[in-house]
Amino acid sequence: MLSKKQSEGILQKALDLGADFAELYFEDREDISVNYSETVDNVAHIRLYGVGVYLISGGRGVYVYTNELGERALHDAVVRAAQLLGTSGGNAGVRPLTLRVSLNPCPVATYPGAVGLEQKIALLREAHLAAKAVTPSLRSIQLAYFDRDQRVTIFNSEGVFAEDRRVTSRVRFSPLVSNEAGAISYFSDYCAPAGFETFSSGRHIARMECVIRDMEGSLSAREAPSSRIPVILEGGSCTGTFFHEACGHQLETTELLRGGMFWDRRGEKIATEKVTLIDDGTMSGMYGSSRFDDEGMPRQKNVLIEKGILRSFLVDRLGGVRLNLPRSGSGRRQDYAHAPGARMSNTYLAPGTDDDDEIIRDTKEGLYVTALGGGTGGREFSLMATVAYWIKNGKIDHRVKGAMLLGRGDETMKKIDRVGKTFVTEENGGSFCGAESGFCATTTSGPRMRISEMVVGGKGGTR
Amino acid sequence: MIQLDRFDQTFSRLQTGVDAAELNAERIDETSLSIEGGEIRHCKSFSQTKLYVRATAGRTGMVYTEKLDESPEELVRRAAENARFSTALDPEPMRRDGSCVLVRPHEMASVDEMKQFGARAEKIALSLERVATVIDCTVSDRARENCVLNSYGFHAGCSSGYVQAELTIAAKRKGEPAIGTARISGNAISSLEAETLVKMAVNDAALYDGGGLKPQAFASGSYDAVLTGRVMRNILMTAWMGLSKQNMVRGGSVFQSTSGERIGSDAFNIINTPTHSLLGQSWQIDSEGTECKETVLVDHGRLVTPLTTLSSAKGASTGSAGRVDQMTGNVPIRLTTVPANLFIVPDANGDARTLVQQMGTGLLVTYSLDLFHSVNVTSGEYSIPCGGVWYQNGEPIGTVALATMAGNVRDLWGAIERVGADLDFDEFYFKTYCIGSPSALVRGVTIGC
């Protein structure tokens, strides 16, 4: 990696070549992965090492990256970037690079490098034994352990010098459950923005056991009927993921620039008054949090929707320039091989005032979703329910499977008629969201809520 | 060029206790331009070298690095150290014969050429009455070098490249615009035609909502359907994993590994190939150094062979070893089965419109959402959000949105009556393989709405 002085020289070169703004994003990252089925399948050590050079001129941007980190190679990268940008000369000066300080919301007790592979393998061995004890319907389970120690250094021509060290730990369970009713397999993660202390509580085991039992339960569940019915989303990731897919991406500058449905509707009512939606990258101990965003700006809490009124967007530097919007500390990227883009971090629905149990009792007939398997956002969104129950006369009646929740964000959010009081964070610690700037760690949270009518797709005929 | 000499030297004198070692190196150079108003709006350019090293010391361990000044000895030592922890019964096999060097000539496009092509496509699109705006016009050039070198003296390498153009337009409508997207690729920019790209994007938008029809309500049930190539590709983008021998052995595929198993109708044929005339992308050798050859996977609905790696095929690999794992932001380091250019074989004639006439009454499914969560490879069950145009006796009468196709992939493929000639490909997100399909007429699809 280049020194601060060398980096200053490279940034100045970029401005001399006509860029309005220049940034260097250095990344040095070490991951360990262990794959385990009946035994240790393999162990891998991973080293990511490279730099991204970002130049902006007017509303145009160029991103060049390489894993050749010598000063000469970087100089050539900047020259290439300027050529691509089509600029020639400039006379701006780089402001003195000053180290920025910001609170780390995710302190680490035990760094991955301080823990031997034997302990990491023992973790998986213990999980494997616990899995086999859950049910005889478990045919096999693949487990994987991942830890990551990422060092990021950002320099930019506005004088920002930001350093961050981000550690995450994760286990992945991929059970295969089958019985006379059928077979099913999907993966689930347990993760935290922390070191090996993540696993000291044993919550990852409890989570895995719950997933296996849910999978077994789905085999004998009835097929969900196609219907338009009230849908209750359990507090935690169900509620948060709904907003993530229904409107979250549409509030990021990448989508706004592509003619997203919410541009520019600030001040307009886009949801019921029960909806206050927040994205906050400062939340302590949350998977989507960090000291800075990937453009060196301190993270912040962004109120996106307040009592149904659209208030703000998630904005990165280039998106902000093009749309004339202030940045929101949301410039994020998967790694140095991706240009930053505005992305969600920890997205949650603020608690409401409705009684959580009354939400179910007050529903004559509908669907109660307690786990989602993923989804897609856009003008239309979709969410796959992996654990869902049919409600009849205000009570949970039977388990259903194969329910696909569909809708349009701008329509469905106007049908949220109940929001519970109890705030629940994402039960498995977090997940990954994929978009143009790569896969970023996120969480989705919130209280239990009800949508008065939603399209549900399924194979169980029509209700 | 990837510098291999220092690895050659290290492999010729392995450390004590290390039985074998292998390097899989990949270098990619790419420039991608996004054009707006005839000028470059956004651009990405990179040069990246990736080194995967595995070592066998009784068992196999792996390391991956992008830090190019790390010594080969240290990489082998770390891989061998990781091997110590593996309790797998056998070490991963490495090739010993079949060394080859394959070059697919690629004429790199200059930035000016790419910009001019994109500007031309944009201009042609905007000159059409039906087009409201150009949402995105991206032209990219990618050169890739892949090599496998090991301590058994095996050496395989390939280099290739392609130019690709993508266009997304919004077609004029009274209300919300209809979006049309198209992608073309070839060996050189001179092989691409801007007019063809624009025509494909405009046709895609017209197909999307039948030219601006109003929504049509209909009851959930079993219907005949024409699935456009895009919808078929979306399903296949996940469902191909059912054709992986690794998954079959693990019990993670709805299909068995027995050759001759019926998995589709007589009209259903699948080929995996390193190159295709419609594509610039090519995958000539895999990550184990096996040369990828054109392979019939499914012949008239019957499984001929699954996709295999050296390990899953016990030496007789189809050249399908790659490094694509689940999409989580982790580096895909394990050797996993991947296709090259995998496609459903088209018919000689016909397209979606032809199939719709043959269908008569039913749904033309023009789009689907959620590529990776909605098909379960283990059970074959799918539940796919979709939409399209409802046809009555061959005439379009309204659009359908927020619908769900549900069923089992085996039944879906088994109910294909006919496919069209309109084969088209999509590139996987990580640009490590392509999936292709023509439109298909399917009888009796369960559709909920």
Side-chain angles (χ1 to χ4, degrees), chain A residues 93-369:
Chain A
V94 174
R95 291 197 207 144
L97 294 174
T98 310
L99 183 65
R100 301 298 156 104
V101 176
S102 186
L103 192 65
N104 181 11
C106 304
V108 174
T110 309
Y111 282 89
V115 179
L117 266 174
E118 294 87 349
Q119 278 180 269
K120 297 170 185 178
I121 291 168
L123 180 82
L124 295 180
R125 192 177 299 123
E126 181 192 52
H128 194 260
L129 283 171
K132 284 168 71 171
V134 174
T135 170
S137 297
L138 180 76
R139 291 287 166 264
S140 66
I141 182 166
Q142 292 192 328
L143 299 162
Y145 167 93
F146 304 95
D147 63 39
R148 172 172 301 177
D149 192 344
Q150 179 195 38
R151 289 171 170 82
V152 164
T153 306
I154 302 166
F155 298 110
N156 75 31
S157 55
E158 291 178 352
V160 167
F161 167 22
E163 291 181 317
D164 205 357
R165 185 175 181 183
R166 302 160 182 171
V167 171
T168 61
S169 301
R170 177 163 63 101
V171 289
R172 167 160 290 192
F173 328 109
S174 304
L176 170 63
V177 176
S178 75
N179 57 27
E180 59 281 352
I184 187 165
S185 179
Y186 53 81
F187 68 85
S188 183
D189 289 349
Y190 181 88
C191 53
F196 202 70
E197 69 273 16
T198 298
F199 308 108
S200 57
S201 68
R203 277 198 288 269
H204 60 292
I205 301 282
R207 174 76 195 144
M208 178 191 69
E209 291 169 342
C210 179
V211 168
I212 294 171
R213 280 193 284 268
D214 281 342
M215 290 170 79
E216 186 180 32
S218 75
L219 292 178
S220 54
R222 299 184 208 177
E223 295 285 356
S226 293
S227 42
R228 286 179 186 259
I229 47 168
V231 173
I232 297 171
L233 296 174
E234 182 62 306
S237 63
C238 287
T239 292
T241 303
F242 166 82
F243 285 100
H244 183 105
E245 303 295 3
C247 69
H249 284 295
Q250 295 289 307
L251 299 178
E252 296 168 342
T253 46
T254 311
E255 284 305 316
L256 294 172
L257 286 164
R258 292 172 65 94
M261 66 169 86
F262 294 118
W263 181 259
D264 179 4
R265 296 173 62 185
R266 282 173 293 173
E268 280 183 39
K269 195 160 188 211
I270 63 168
T272 66
E273 272 184 16
K274 291 192 177 273
V275 173
T276 292
L277 184 70
I278 293 158
D279 188 86
D280 187 353
T282 70
M283 294 174 78
S284 178
M286 296 290 274
Y287 208 47
S289 298
S290 58
R291 215 189 288 261
F292 303 100
D293 74 355
D294 292 325
E295 295 183 302
M297 181 172 170
R299 307 299 297 278
Q300 63 185 45
K301 176 178 174 179
N302 297 299
V303 178
L304 303 173
I305 302 173
E306 187 176 26
K307 294 184 179 170
I309 308 290
L310 178 61
R311 291 293 183 212
S312 68
F313 299 116
L314 296 173
V315 184
D316 62 307
R317 179 178 291 276
L318 182 60
V321 167
R322 299 196 70 198
L323 293 169
N324 195 24
L325 291 170
R327 290 160 62 205
S328 60
S330 308
R332 303 183 70 201
R333 65 182 101 192
Q334 174 177 321
D335 53 33
Y336 74 91
H338 294 80
R343 301 291 296 277
M344 290 174 272
S345 56
N346 304 305
T347 312
Y348 65 89
L349 176 70
T353 55
D354 295 306
D355 183 88
D356 298 305
D357 294 330
E358 186 66 29
I359 292 175
I360 294 178
R361 282 198 297 269
D362 195 39
T363 303
K364 189 166 162 48
E365 191 172 36
L367 191 72
Y368 172 43
V369 178

Side-chain angles (χ1 to χ4, degrees), chain B residues 361-378:
Chain B
T361 296
L363 185 64
L364 169 65
V365 184
T366 58
Y367 71 91
S368 59
L369 309 179
D370 203 351
L371 299 185
F372 296 102
H373 301 112
S374 46
V375 179
N376 190 296
V377 177
T378 302

Side-chain angles (χ1 to χ4, degrees), chain B residues 142-224:
Chain B
R142 185 174 176 101
R144 178 174 172 265
E145 188 188 340
N146 182 33
C147 72
V148 177
L149 169 75
N150 68 33
S151 56
Y152 294 117
F154 175 80
H155 178 206
C158 71
S159 63
S160 61
Y162 64 93
V163 181
Q164 181 161 277
E166 295 181 56
L167 180 69
T168 302
I169 58 120
K172 281 180 187 166
R173 295 286 186 269
K174 280 188 186 148
E176 221 165 71
I179 308 299
T181 300
R183 178 192 287 136
I184 55 175
S185 67
N187 264 14
I189 198 152
S190 55
S191 68
L192 304 185
E193 291 180 357
E195 292 83 357
T196 302
L197 179 67
V198 173
K199 188 175 169 189
M200 286 169 67
V202 169
N203 283 348
D204 189 51
L207 206 60
Y208 181 79
D209 63 356
L213 295 170
K214 289 190 169 32
Q216 170 77 25
F218 72 103
S220 304
S222 176
Y223 296 99
D224 294 338

